[in-house]
Amino acid sequence: MTAAPDVLDKHAFLYSVVIPVYNSEAFVGRTVDEVVRTFREAGLRLELVLVNDGSPDNVWPVLEAKAQEYDEVVALNLLHNYGQHTANLAGFRESRGDYVITMDDDLQNPPDQALVLIDKAMEGYDCVFAQFEQKQAAGYRRLGTKVIGMMNKNIFGLPDDLVVSNFRILRRDVVDRISASRTAHPYITGQALLYSSHRANVLVRHESRAEGQSNYSFSRILKLVLTILFSYSSWPLRTLATIGFGVAGVGFLIGAVYLVLGLLGQIRTPGWTSTIVLLSVFNGFTIGMLSMLGEYLVRTLNAVSATEIYHLKGRAE
């Protein structure tokens, strides 16, 4: 009979909760209050890192006020809107916790469910993802989640029995590996899979958004898909190369047929249509290939030349 694994004492650790903030002036204060209250009532040590991701509303004064109100709160003000994953990375580098929890600013991830993540992590896991009992999201977001899930499986080796989400807890060593990685386009979920070894899911509640609409629009999901494809995978280039070999093979075959027909005297008038079609196909494919190579080149250049992928313009605690 296998002995039950030792369970760690959750009161022995400091927990950093990292929350990217965007367009949430009306309700982020309530989110902060709920997180602080939840951890205090549970008797757990908390560091709450709020990252204003260049929000266009007047949310920064709210974050400054919360940093003054609570000793547990640190607020970062990013210079521009860099995206959720970059904001999380900024929070990771600021955090000091033994475990780091990432969650949304809109109370769709109920703060009391962070305790469920912690309990699971205490079983010895270095990465625990929340699996929602019933996710409250628009149809296009669910479709985007499925597409990104397929990419996570093929690119990052996501196991079939693991479900990923942005509500997760990571052990300090995993966070340090992510923070030290050199990439101009961070993708925290994929990096968490790359830099962890003992992962699990735990069922949690998922609530409706406190107010307004989700900031994760169709264009943002598409941008994330392209980031994963071009920054972490050679699949687009290899796919295009495979198609290129196929097109080239067809071209050689057509050329050989016309050569034989010409030698046999079967072609008396040059085929203008065939010439235009072949030129269009090959030139179009060449332009597509060059564009694909250019995208990889630009991203590689950004990765090796950029010293910082985000900049702070303010900090409050």
Side-chain angles (χ1 to χ4, degrees):
M1 182 176 178
T2 305
D6 293 333
V7 177
L8 301 173
D9 178 10
K10 63 183 178 182
H11 295 93
F13 303 106
L14 171 65
Y15 302 94
S16 294
V17 176
V18 175
I19 303 181
V21 178
Y22 188 81
N23 267 350
S24 55
E25 177 187 356
F27 51 82
V28 70
R30 179 184 163 198
T31 301
V32 173
D33 294 339
E34 287 293 315
V35 172
V36 173
R37 181 189 61 80
T38 297
F39 276 78
R40 284 182 177 179
E41 290 181 355
L44 301 176
R45 291 189 294 144
L46 168 69
E47 175 193 51
L48 178 53
V49 183
L50 306 170
V51 185
N52 177 27
D53 187 23
S55 183
D57 60 3
N58 201 34
V59 75
W60 177 243
V62 177
L63 303 187
E64 284 186 306
K66 290 301 176 183
Q68 292 295 318
E69 181 179 353
Y70 297 116
D71 293 336
E72 296 95 331
V73 175
V74 176
L76 305 179
N77 195 16
L78 299 188
L79 184 62
H80 299 296
N81 173 233
Y82 298 98
Q84 182 186 40
H85 292 276
T86 300
N88 270 319
L89 179 62
F92 282 6
R93 290 175 174 173
E94 174 70 25
S95 68
R96 300 174 292 109
D98 303 295
Y99 288 86
V100 177
I101 299 167
T102 63
M103 60 188 298
D104 294 337
D105 61 356
D106 56 8
L107 290 175
Q108 284 193 290
N109 305 145
D112 66 300
Q113 297 300 283
L115 304 182
V116 180
L117 290 175
I118 291 172
D119 287 339
K120 191 66 177 180
M122 292 302 101
E123 296 177 15
Y125 296 102
D126 58 358
C127 175
V128 178
F129 291 99
Q131 182 176 1
F132 302 117
E133 295 172 351
Q134 184 175 1
K135 191 168 183 178
Q136 308 293 326
Y140 73 87
R141 287 195 62 184
R142 290 195 293 270
L143 177 60
T145 298
K146 290 182 180 180
V147 172
I148 293 173
M150 291 172 57
M151 296 168 65
N152 285 332
K153 180 177 180 180
N154 292 312
I155 297 172
F156 300 104
L158 174 67
D160 291 333
D161 59 348
L162 187 69
V163 177
V164 297
S165 69
N166 290 329
F167 192 20
R168 62 209 154 203
I169 182 170
L170 306 174
R171 202 170 60 195
R172 183 78 243 172
D173 57 318
V174 178
V175 173
D176 287 341
R177 294 184 194 109
I178 294 173
S179 298
S181 63
R182 286 184 56 84
T183 175
H185 305 278
Y187 174 51
I188 302 301
T189 302
Q191 291 171 294
L193 292 170
L194 287 175
Y195 300 137
S196 63
S197 60
H198 197 29
R199 299 163 295 222
N201 277 129
V202 64
L203 282 176
V204 303
R205 293 195 326 275
H206 192 255
E207 303 288 358
S208 299
R209 185 176 170 87
E211 229 177 280
Q213 296 181 338
S214 172
N215 294 314
Y216 238 75
S217 61
F218 177 78
S219 61
R220 284 177 178 263
I221 293 175
L222 180 60
K223 183 178 179 181
L224 177 60
V225 168
L226 294 177
T227 292
I228 298 171
L229 279 176
F230 288 109
S231 298
Y232 295 92
S233 170
S234 59
W235 180 85
L237 188 60
R238 288 180 175 176
T239 300
L240 201 57
T242 301
I243 295 173
F245 281 120
V247 172
V250 172
F252 284 129
L253 180 60
I254 293 174
V257 170
Y258 275 95
L259 177 61
V260 171
L261 291 176
L263 292 175
L264 294 177
Q266 299 296 316
I267 300 178
R268 302 183 183 278
T269 303
W272 175 256
T273 302
S274 299
T275 301
I276 293 300
V277 169
L278 289 174
L279 285 175
S280 299
V281 171
F282 290 127
N283 287 341
F285 181 79
T286 300
I287 292 172
M289 176 69 83
L290 290 175
S291 299
M292 186 75 70
L293 289 172
E295 182 67 24
Y296 276 102
L297 181 61
V298 168
R299 289 175 180 264
T300 302
L301 181 63
N302 288 339
V304 300
S305 63
T307 54
E308 293 292 343
I309 61 174
Y310 63 86
H311 295 276
L312 292 177
K313 67 175 182 180
R315 187 177 186 278
E317 61 178 329

